[in-house]
Amino acid sequence: DSVNSGTSTKGSSLINNDSTYDAAILEFDFIPQGDTVEFEYVFASEEYPEFVFSGYNDVFAFFISGPGITGIQNLAVVPGTNNPITINQINDSTNSNLYISNGDGIFGSQFFDSTVVNFNGFTIPLKVISKVIPCETYHLKIAIADGGDQAYDSGVFLKGGSLNSNPEFEIFQKS
């Protein structure tokens, strides 16, 4: 995993060895009850649409590691590919079925209405799914960073209660 916090990280393998800046990282361990873990999210960016394919390529990753997983795996990839979630991978011309334009941030409701998110574009809700071994400990690392510059931030919205692992068995306590 090459997204680190701090000023700059040169050589991020997530975005073709470009520098990343202003990384925000959340890490935690969990023990799944079932054989699959899933999570829903939306990636949004101020870099849309002006900076798509410009060298400024904000990135999001959802790393998992633990028993049965070789190394550290990024689960936040464009569906059906191994490509990371970036503004260059999901936009109005590439994987456009996964992209929602939200205007330019100057005109429209996202500028005048404080209840509307002021990101110029975002993905449709996407789901991360991984096979796991029930009752084993896994490590999750959620990371987002500016790619190529420190301006025009991006964000990720995690659906509340969507970190899920359906148990294979129910445990009943004798009363």
Side-chain angles (χ1 to χ4, degrees):
D1 66 69
S2 298
V3 174
N4 296 308
S5 59
T7 308
S8 172
T9 302
K10 186 65 178 169
S12 174
S13 63
L14 287 177
I15 51 175
N16 298 322
N17 295 319
D18 290 340
S19 295
T20 57
Y21 300 88
D22 304 328
I25 298 170
L26 172 66
E27 295 184 67
F28 57 93
D29 291 332
F30 75 101
I31 300 172
Q33 295 178 350
D35 66 353
T36 305
V37 65
E38 59 185 46
F39 202 91
E40 291 182 58
Y41 68 93
V42 169
F43 172 76
S45 183
E46 280 294 300
E47 306 245 329
Y48 288 123
E50 302 90 347
F51 298 102
V52 172
F53 306 121
S54 70
Y56 306 117
N57 192 18
D58 290 3
V59 61
F60 169 64
F62 194 100
F63 298 110
I64 188 168
S65 59
I69 297 172
T70 303
I72 299 171
Q73 182 180 10
N74 181 13
L75 299 175
V77 295
V78 176
T81 75
N82 288 322
N83 299 329
I85 301 296
T86 68
I87 69 163
N88 286 350
Q89 290 294 325
I90 297 177
N91 54 65
D92 62 356
S93 64
T94 303
N95 297 302
S96 61
N97 60 317
L98 305 175
Y99 174 71
I100 299 171
S101 175
N102 197 37
D104 60 9
I106 298 171
F107 301 102
S109 63
Q110 75 276 19
F111 182 71
F112 298 107
D113 184 347
S114 63
T115 64
V116 176
V117 174
N118 192 17
F119 285 103
N120 294 355
F122 48 91
T123 67
I124 65 169
L126 299 171
K127 187 180 281 192
V128 165
I129 300 173
S130 181
K131 291 300 244 175
V132 292
I133 300 170
C135 304
E136 296 288 334
T137 300
Y138 288 83
H139 186 76
L140 290 178
K141 180 177 183 178
I142 301 170
I144 189 167
D146 286 333
D149 71 346
Q150 298 176 33
Y152 298 106
D153 292 326
S154 294
V156 65
F157 299 88
L158 308 173
K159 182 177 180 182
S162 70
L163 178 57
N164 234 338
S165 178
N166 293 332
E168 289 188 3
F169 308 99
E170 285 190 47
I171 299 173
F172 295 98
Q173 293 191 0
K174 195 173 183 178
S175 42

